[in-house]
Amino acid sequence: MRNLLLFILILFAGKASATHNRAGEITYQQIGDLKIRVTVTTYTKASSTAADRDSLLVEWGDGTSQIVQRFNGNGDLLPNDTKVNYYIAEHTYPARTSYTISMTDPNRNGGIINVNPPASENVPFHIQTTFTFLSSQFQGYNNGPILLQPPIDFGCVGQRFEHNPNAKEIDGDSLSYKLIVPLQSVGTNVPNYTYPDQVNPGPLNKISLDAIKGDFVWESPQKAGEYNIAIQIDEYRNGKLINTMIRDMQILILECDNRPPKITTIDEICVIAGQSVSFNVHAEDPDIGLNQKVKLTALGAPLTLDNSPATFQAPTQFVNPPVDGTFTWNTLCEHIAGQYYSVVFKAEDNLLDTNGLSALKTVRIKVVGPAPEEPSTQVISGDIKLLWKSPYTCDNVPNQFFRGFTIWRKNSSNPFQPDTCTPGLLGRGYVKIAGNQKSIEGDNYVFLDTTVERGRTYCYRILAEFAKLSPGGNPFNVVESLASAEVCTQLSKDVPLITNVDVVKTDPAGEIQVRWSKPKYPDLDTIKYPGPYTYKVLRSEGLSGDFVVEIPGAVFTSGTFAGANDTMFLDNTGINTVVSPYSYKIAFYTGSPEILYGISSSASSVFLQIISSDRKNILSWFEAVPWENLSYTVFRFNDISGVFDSIAKVSAPSYIDQPLENLKSYCYKIRASGSYGLPDIPSPLINFSQENCGTPIDTVPPCAPVLAITNPCNSADPTDPQTEFVNKLSWTDPEITCPGVSDVATFNIYYQANPKDSFILVGIVNKGEALMFLHSTPDGIAGCYVVTALDSLGNESLASNKVCVDNCPSYTLPNTFTPNGDGQNDVFKPYPYRFVASVDFKVFNRWGEVVFQTTSRDLNWEGKNNNGKELADGTYHYICRVFEIRQGGVLPNPTALTGYIEIIR
């Protein structure tokens, strides 16, 4: 009851003064599996004492709300008639999903020239933050960014204005920034909004917002006054949007003969953890004749760290320019992050009594993990043992932030120059073969690679991995270190290496040429393993090389190693090269009786597949070989010359041949060019695929239309009962928007009533008719739609963009009625409403007691209390929660209606 009375008093105070809110945002911290701590921060007009809020109503986004008391007493006074207020509360949610926390206050401050001029004080001030509960056991907690830069700032007419919210993100997630229209309620823009550069627009009056850094720049404002902008800050984890915060901020542009200072320093720097960052920041003021002084300050996440925070040494007061400061940061391993840290330097002059003009400079700093050191290799029984120095510099970082090492391998060397700003090995040609490695032997970490093949050269690099841990002990937001130096090893070539598996005849009785290189002396110890020496060719169908069998007659024997030169075999023993690739191995025997010394790696033929489509053939091919194919040449049969012509050279195993003639057959083969990268093996290795043919045919549907929907929600008078609520769907013609599309016959219209439902077909429109469709349901206009296009062969396009519309409930209450029995305005009831299922309507007297309540949407209150007794004339407060008919069913409006009722008899 006490909280309710406080709320009523707040609302009465709001009625007494209509100028209040300047700026604010909602931040949060997750403190439990489904529990958060929220801070609502508002910046208000300090002189509006009658409208001061010692508590605010916070809507939690789950259908509940709470009156939250101000945390910082009466608020903290700031310059320029401004006060900052903090309202802190905790809330536990019922389920793991996304929620929108919001706060709506009746009034902004007056005089904002780009919000509903000249009556901005009549526009509600609304801020909101949407966040998602992740699977905390696996994905970790989700904490929102903290904004370090206050949202009240100053500028001069004609002079460049700069601002940065300076977001600090503690989870290692990435942030992006964009400008939006400020809000007056959930999902509703303020009326009559104008972006600042459209007030007295011109070629010099421009605004921009850096999506990565968050720098807002307004070039040459043209009109003095107060402006509001809203910056939406989106937070991503692993590429998925998990939070959206809206900061509503105010800019005061003054008529002043002043220019902002200028800052000179670096733009960004990348540093290895454990090293120090140090750079100079220089500020000057161009208005030398005005004898202005300048103060240089810094804000940013590195300056707020608990462990080894950065420092900025500069005069703490206004001093005569130029002014210099030194930023210093002794970085630690726990500072390693996948994202850049931001530090915003601010140079402010003292021309104005309250706040002078300022210039900002955002410097980005990235702290990367050091590279593992001193890698080396040892060959042990045909395997490769990889070693590197222990301990690793960051092996003792707190909270298990260091997760271990990953091992990366390449079949040849890539001696690239490391870039400190680009850790990891993405795009370098290395393949990850192991993770979470921490085994130690003596002074080294070790890893044994048992997946190597004789005669090959292998090159290795090592990365360290860092990650925060979820409450369940699972890593998230993994960060990779700089790569170690490269170390390479060539294994002994003491067994044959296959060099060619070349299809020379495509036929059910086909032929494949197989070639191999003999073992290398002295890798093969011919004293220990004397002759005779024998090769046996083994074969299996398919690419894998599993289940090989010896080919009858494919046996080659020499009494001496020097004479073991029969290294070629034409396989024409009943293989069908039309339908399948084939894989081969070479078994190598020594001595008499013969003993199996070793078997080569498997190598397959190149196998070409073709998918035909409208006026094109899509070629793809596959092989499994121990060497590296570096390029492929595509050949197509020429009907006139009778030979295959080269039509393309590609590096990836795919090619699209177009434009072609439909219903005509085209035949192809592929030539692969590869190499072992070994000095004693010929290069390139040339191998042809089988021949294959494809016939283009129109199986391609039209491209998808682009759908748009209009309805009367934005224009209809809620008091007009004649308004027919219906969705008007219209869409683009694929024959106009997509070049080359000329065969569209009909359009299918699909409707989805509820997100959990499937789309159903609700209409078909022929191509010759207007590209328009009207639709509604007994429950209104809520639902989602897509449109597809079909050609004359029945090929159906992908769905258009999905457009969802919702009912637009309207429920408005008067503020007075006269229950005197004269037949005029005797009952209190809403104006004509729409899409409302029920309400929870309560009326309170001046002491906060409920005197009347109902759930009927028509209300029909006769001015009597719950016992049927007439109430005295006067002012009563009401709270009305409206339950609306929405796309997802009957849902409560997140914002309750509140106001006053005058009973006049």
Side-chain angles (χ1 to χ4, degrees):
M1 185 63 69
R2 178 178 179 273
N3 284 342
L4 179 58
L5 180 59
L6 284 171
F7 183 54
I8 294 171
L9 292 175
I10 289 168
L11 289 174
F12 272 97
K15 193 174 182 181
S17 177
T19 174
H20 186 54
N21 288 284
R22 295 185 183 276
E25 72 266 351
I26 299 175
T27 57
Y28 70 92
Q29 178 185 5
Q30 186 174 354
I31 58 176
D33 188 44
L34 290 173
K35 188 175 183 179
I36 64 169
R37 179 181 296 119
V38 163
T39 301
V40 179
T41 305
T42 65
Y43 293 77
T44 56
K45 192 168 183 178
S47 59
S48 295
T49 55
D52 186 44
R53 310 289 194 237
D54 63 358
S55 57
L56 292 176
L57 181 67
V58 175
E59 298 283 350
W60 292 111
D62 59 357
T64 66
S65 58
Q66 179 181 346
I67 296 174
V68 179
Q69 301 292 322
R70 183 161 50 199
F71 180 78
N72 58 329
N74 294 323
D76 298 328
L77 290 175
L78 301 175
N80 199 61
D81 194 20
T82 302
K83 181 169 66 171
V84 60
N85 313 277
Y86 303 108
Y87 306 84
I88 302 176
E90 297 177 358
H91 185 68
T92 300
Y93 284 87
R96 196 180 313 283
T97 185
S98 297
Y99 299 94
T100 297
I101 313 166
S102 63
M103 188 284 297
T104 306
D105 196 87
N107 306 108
R108 294 175 177 268
N109 69 291
I112 305 173
I113 65 177
N114 67 327
V115 176
N116 195 40
S120 61
E121 66 272 18
N122 294 332
V123 178
F125 176 78
H126 176 86
I127 48 179
Q128 66 183 51
T129 291
T130 299
F131 75 98
T132 301
F133 278 115
L134 305 175
S135 175
S136 57
Q137 288 295 101
F138 298 96
Q139 298 171 286
Y141 278 2
N142 176 7
N143 299 287
I146 299 170
L147 307 185
L148 302 178
Q149 194 75 27
I152 305 291
D153 223 332
F154 305 85
C156 284
V157 171
Q159 299 300 322
R160 178 184 173 99
F161 168 84
E162 299 173 332
H163 179 85
N164 189 304
N166 203 346
K168 173 185 176 182
E169 210 298 306
I170 65 173
D171 292 331
D173 299 322
S174 60
L175 303 177
S176 68
Y177 304 81
K178 66 180 177 181
L179 283 176
I180 63 169
V181 177
L183 302 180
Q184 62 176 350
S185 64
V186 176
T188 303
N189 295 340
V190 298
N192 304 317
Y193 182 75
T194 304
Y195 282 101
D197 58 349
Q198 297 306 303
V199 177
N200 292 357
L204 300 179
N205 187 4
K206 298 296 181 184
I207 61 173
S208 63
L209 178 64
D210 190 306
I212 298 175
K213 292 183 177 182
D215 289 336
F216 173 79
V217 177
W218 185 0
E219 300 283 358
S220 191
Q222 296 298 300
K223 183 177 180 179
E226 296 182 358
Y227 298 79
N228 270 68
I229 63 171
I231 299 176
Q232 178 174 309
I233 304 173
D234 294 330
E235 182 176 356
Y236 295 85
R237 182 170 297 180
N238 297 326
K240 182 179 180 181
L241 179 66
I242 58 173
N243 304 325
T244 294
M245 171 197 291
I246 295 175
R247 159 172 271 193
D248 195 314
M249 68 164 291
Q250 191 163 90
I251 306 168
L252 284 72
I253 300 298
L254 307 173
E255 290 281 4
C256 42
D257 186 16
N258 189 18
R259 290 176 293 175
K262 294 183 179 181
I263 299 177
T264 304
T265 189
I266 62 174
D267 291 318
E268 68 177 42
I269 187 172
C270 300
V271 61
I272 299 173
Q275 296 179 348
S276 294
V277 180
S278 182
F279 55 86
N280 182 67
V281 182
H282 180 79
E284 296 184 348
D285 193 281
D287 297 319
I288 299 175
L290 298 179
N291 296 320
Q292 294 179 119
K293 295 185 177 181
V294 172
K295 183 167 66 174
L296 188 59
T297 58
L299 285 175
L303 296 155
T304 66
L305 296 171
D306 294 330
N307 198 1
S308 187
T311 61
F312 183 60
Q313 298 295 326
T316 57
Q317 304 296 323
F318 285 93
V319 297
N320 293 322
V323 184
D324 286 282
T326 301
F327 177 88
T328 304
W329 186 17
N330 296 318
T331 64
L332 304 175
C333 290
E334 48 261 56
H335 300 152
I336 295 168
Q339 308 300 322
Y340 282 83
Y341 294 87
S342 290
V343 181
V344 179
F345 297 95
K346 181 177 182 180
E348 182 182 6
D349 65 32
N350 67 342
L351 177 68
L352 308 177
D353 293 334
T354 53
N355 286 79
L357 286 191
S358 60
L360 301 182
K361 176 68 174 181
T362 301
V363 176
R364 301 202 307 160
I365 305 171
K366 190 169 190 177
V367 182
V368 301
E373 298 179 332
E374 301 179 16
S376 62
T377 59
Q378 297 174 0
V379 178
I380 301 176
S381 300
D383 298 327
I384 297 178
K385 187 176 185 179
L386 182 63
L387 306 94
W388 62 101
K389 182 181 176 181
S390 172
Y392 176 59
T393 306
C394 295
D395 200 353
N396 59 350
V397 66
N399 302 320
Q400 297 182 308
F401 185 44
F402 169 64
R403 303 300 307 150
F405 300 98
T406 55
I407 312 301
W408 298 72
R409 188 178 73 190
K410 193 175 184 298
N411 291 340
S412 57
S413 176
N414 181 6
F416 66 88
Q417 185 66 33
D419 178 4
T420 306
C421 291
T422 311
L425 286 167
L426 183 65
R428 302 294 189 179
Y430 296 85
V431 176
K432 180 180 175 180
I433 61 171
N436 199 28
Q437 298 296 309
K438 284 187 175 181
S439 298
I440 297 177
E441 291 181 5
D443 295 332
N444 292 291
Y445 298 96
V446 294
F447 169 75
L448 186 64
D449 187 2
T450 61
T451 62
V452 293
E453 301 170 350
R454 292 173 175 173
R456 301 290 300 276
T457 297
Y458 295 97
C459 295
Y460 297 88
R461 290 185 188 266
I462 307 148
L463 298 178
E465 278 192 340
F466 303 85
K468 296 179 180 293
L469 292 181
S470 72
N474 295 290
F476 67 95
N477 281 346
V478 176
V479 181
E480 294 178 325
S481 74
L482 294 173
S484 72
E486 184 183 64
V487 58
C488 298
T489 294
Q490 182 178 356
L491 293 177
S492 297
K493 185 178 173 294
D494 57 350
V495 295
L497 291 181
I498 296 179
T499 57
N500 295 88
V501 181
D502 185 25
V503 179
V504 295
K505 182 181 179 181
T506 303
D507 194 82
E511 297 179 355
I512 294 179
Q513 185 80 58
V514 182
R515 294 184 177 88
W516 60 94
S517 67
K518 62 188 293 184
K520 181 181 178 182
Y521 176 83
D523 290 352
L524 174 65
D525 188 343
T526 56
I527 302 299
K528 185 176 180 180
Y529 299 99
Y533 300 96
T534 300
Y535 305 113
K536 294 183 180 181
V537 184
L538 313 178
R539 182 186 69 210
S540 67
E541 186 173 344
L543 296 173
S544 68
D546 297 332
F547 310 111
V548 292
V549 296
E550 184 178 331
I551 303 174
V555 179
F556 306 89
T557 301
S558 170
T560 64
F561 183 71
N565 296 322
D566 289 325
T567 57
M568 181 174 66
F569 170 69
L570 180 64
D571 186 7
N572 57 4
T573 58
I575 55 175
N576 187 344
T577 55
V578 175
V579 299
S580 176
Y582 290 86
S583 297
Y584 296 85
K585 292 181 180 180
I586 307 299
F588 181 58
Y589 296 82
T590 64
S592 180
E594 64 184 22
I595 299 174
L596 179 63
Y597 179 85
I599 301 177
S600 74
S601 301
S602 174
S604 78
S605 60
V606 180
F607 190 72
L608 170 64
Q609 293 182 335
I610 300 175
I611 298 175
S612 297
S613 186
D614 186 22
R615 295 187 293 177
K616 62 185 175 184
N617 283 321
I618 303 171
L619 285 65
S620 58
W621 51 94
F622 311 90
E623 78 273 2
V625 295
W627 60 87
E628 184 175 3
N629 280 327
L630 304 174
S631 66
Y632 304 92
T633 304
V634 181
F635 289 84
R636 185 177 67 199
F637 187 74
N638 187 320
D639 294 333
I640 297 176
S641 65
V643 298
F644 279 88
D645 293 334
S646 169
I647 61 171
K649 186 174 183 179
V650 295
S651 58
S654 62
Y655 178 73
I656 299 177
D657 189 17
Q658 62 181 350
L660 302 175
E661 182 181 340
N662 279 344
L663 304 181
K664 178 182 176 181
S665 179
Y666 297 85
C667 296
Y668 307 85
K669 63 180 179 180
I670 306 299
R671 183 179 69 193
S673 176
S675 175
Y676 273 107
L678 299 176
D680 54 343
I681 300 295
S683 182
L685 304 177
I686 302 298
N687 294 280
F688 279 91
S689 74
Q690 92 286 11
E691 298 172 12
N692 200 357
C693 302
T695 302
I697 187 173
D698 184 5
T699 59
V700 178
C703 62
V706 178
L707 174 64
I709 298 179
T710 58
N711 56 50
C713 276
N714 294 328
S715 58
D717 181 356
T719 64
D720 183 2
Q722 302 301 317
T723 301
E724 180 182 6
F725 281 86
V726 63
N727 288 319
K728 180 180 179 181
L729 285 69
S730 59
W731 55 90
T732 58
D733 185 348
E735 292 188 2
I736 296 175
T737 57
C738 296
V741 174
S742 60
D743 185 17
V744 176
T746 58
F747 299 92
N748 284 351
I749 294 89
Y750 296 92
Y751 170 72
Q752 180 191 50
N754 188 290
K756 297 180 180 179
D757 298 337
S758 300
F759 277 95
I760 60 172
L761 181 66
V762 294
I764 299 175
V765 175
N766 294 323
K767 174 65 169 64
E769 303 172 9
L771 304 185
M772 182 267 292
F773 185 76
L774 301 178
H775 186 255
S776 63
T777 72
D779 290 329
I781 58 175
C784 296
Y785 298 85
V786 296
V787 176
T788 63
L790 291 83
D791 63 20
S792 58
L793 296 178
N795 295 314
E796 187 172 14
S797 75
L798 296 174
S800 69
N801 54 306
K802 179 180 176 180
V803 179
C804 296
V805 294
D806 205 348
N807 290 327
C808 47
S810 174
Y811 197 80
T812 306
L813 298 175
N815 58 14
T816 186
F817 74 118
T818 58
N820 53 16
D822 64 356
Q824 301 290 326
N825 198 25
D826 283 335
V827 296
F828 184 80
K829 59 183 179 181
Y831 294 111
Y833 56 83
R834 61 180 183 241
F835 306 132
V836 172
S838 64
V839 300
D840 181 8
F841 177 74
K842 295 178 181 178
V843 180
F844 305 87
N845 61 19
R846 61 185 298 181
W847 296 280
E849 299 170 337
V850 177
V851 295
F852 176 77
Q853 64 184 59
T854 183
T855 58
S856 170
R857 57 187 179 178
D858 294 318
L859 302 183
N860 290 327
W861 180 38
E862 297 177 342
K864 300 177 181 180
N865 64 17
N866 289 325
N867 297 320
K869 181 180 178 180
E870 288 189 351
L871 295 169
D873 287 11
T875 301
Y876 295 82
H877 171 66
Y878 70 84
I879 296 178
C880 183
R881 186 168 291 278
V882 181
F883 295 88
E884 304 168 339
I885 302 172
R886 291 287 191 176
Q887 183 185 358
V890 175
L891 301 174
N893 188 304
T895 303
L897 298 176
T898 61
Y900 310 94
I901 306 169
E902 295 285 342
I903 295 181
I904 304 173
R905 299 189 191 280

